Amino acid sequence: ASEFIIDLFSSLTKNNVIQGINELEKKDIKSPLDPHTNIAIEELQLSVRAYNCLKRAQINTIGDLLEYSPEKLQELKNF
């Protein structure tokens, strides 16, 4: 489960961060880079174990999850 989440969010950040930065520079707007960052982890259909692990770490949205490096996620208990 942890490898799936890491792969999923790595691809999101690689594809959208540069595009989002370019768009923000053009518009000069201070908003999240990607509207998907506000999606709650409940909507991801994770296993109970992965869901509980993220909740214990107070990770409630994809945006919260993207703040963690893959190494930090691996350090979480039961991840």
Side-chain angles (χ1 to χ4, degrees):
S2 63
E3 289 180 23
F4 170 74
I5 293 172
I6 291 169
D7 291 341
L8 175 68
F9 296 111
S10 293
S11 65
L12 277 175
T13 57
K14 287 177 187 175
N15 294 332
N16 293 327
V17 169
I18 293 173
Q19 181 183 10
I21 290 172
N22 290 336
E23 289 175 9
L24 285 176
E25 287 174 348
K26 291 178 186 175
K27 295 179 183 178
D28 196 31
I29 297 174
K30 295 180 180 178
S31 63
L33 296 179
D34 190 343
H36 301 295
T37 58
N38 293 327
I39 296 175
I41 62 169
E42 289 85 359
E43 297 178 36
L44 299 179
Q45 299 178 355
L46 300 171
S47 69
V48 173
R49 181 178 176 168
Y51 172 79
N52 288 337
C53 174
L54 294 175
K55 279 299 199 180
R56 273 193 301 276
Q58 297 180 351
I59 298 172
N60 298 306
T61 64
I62 291 177
D64 295 339
L65 186 59
L66 290 173
E67 294 176 8
Y68 283 77
S69 68
E71 294 80 21
K72 289 290 183 184
L73 288 173
Q74 297 269 329
E75 293 174 7
L76 297 176
K77 183 178 179 183
N78 294 328
F79 191 72

